Amino acid sequence: MIITFEELQAFLDEQFPQGAAFGTLQKLGDGWAEMKLDVDEEHLRPGGTVSGPAMMGLADVTLYAALLSKIGLVPLAVTTNLNINFLRKPVAHKPIWARATMLKVGRTMGVGEVFVYSEGAEEPVAHSTMTYSIPPER
C-alpha cells in the first residue's frame, strides 16, 4: 500500500471535501477500501428506498479510495466507466456501506468492483464495476 488511511483521509478532506456527501472512509488496505454513507431524507427516493445516485456516488468514491491506495495521491484519476446493478431494495433509514477492490491497475487504467450493502443485511444491494483513467506522470 502506497498511502496510509490518515494520508488518504487528509487528502480527501483537502482536495475533495464534497466527497463526504457520498460517504466517509472507514477502512483502507492495499487495493481495497470501505466507506459508509449515513442515509437521510436527501438520499431517499419515492417508495422508501435509497436512490440509485446515492449508491452510485458511494460506489464511485469508494473505488477512488481503493485506487489511490495503489497509485498514491493522484487527484486527476477519473472515472471513465461505471456500470451498476441494483440487486435488492436497501433499508431506507439505515446506513449503506461499500467495499471496493481493485481488479487490475496498470499505467493508464484501473479496473475494480464494488459491492454495496445495507447495514445489517448479509446480501449486497448493488454491485458495480468501474474503470478509472490514471493521468500520465509529468
Side-chain angles (χ1 to χ4, degrees):
M1 190 163 76
I2 291 179
I3 58 172
T4 67
F5 179 96
E6 293 77 16
E7 289 170 329
L8 180 56
Q9 186 63 62
F11 171 81
L12 292 173
D13 290 345
E14 181 181 314
Q15 298 290 322
F16 191 44
Q18 68 275 27
F22 302 105
T24 57
L25 188 63
Q26 302 293 303
K27 297 179 183 177
L28 183 69
D30 188 17
W32 64 270
E34 289 184 8
M35 296 187 82
K36 180 174 111 174
L37 176 65
D38 290 321
V39 174
D40 60 27
E41 293 301 317
E42 73 181 61
H43 301 111
L44 300 181
R45 64 171 300 276
T49 189
V50 179
S51 72
M55 288 187 274
M56 286 186 279
L58 174 63
D60 191 25
V61 74
T62 306
L63 193 72
Y64 183 57
L67 176 65
L68 295 185
S69 79
K70 296 296 281 183
I71 67 171
L73 302 176
V74 180
L76 290 178
V78 295
T79 310
T80 58
N81 181 274
L82 186 153
N83 180 65
I84 191 162
N85 293 295
F86 301 108
L87 305 172
R88 50 192 55 81
K89 183 178 176 181
V91 179
H93 293 285
K94 286 195 173 185
I96 56 173
W97 65 277
R99 177 168 175 106
T101 305
M102 295 310 302
L103 301 173
K104 181 178 186 335
V105 179
R107 286 185 315 102
T108 61
M109 302 293 265
V111 177
E113 72 176 341
V114 184
F115 286 94
V116 179
Y117 297 87
S118 195
E119 187 174 273
E122 290 186 29
E123 296 292 324
V125 297
H127 175 258
S128 180
T129 55
M130 279 177 249
T131 303
Y132 261 78
S133 176
I134 302 167
E137 292 184 36
R138 293 182 184 210

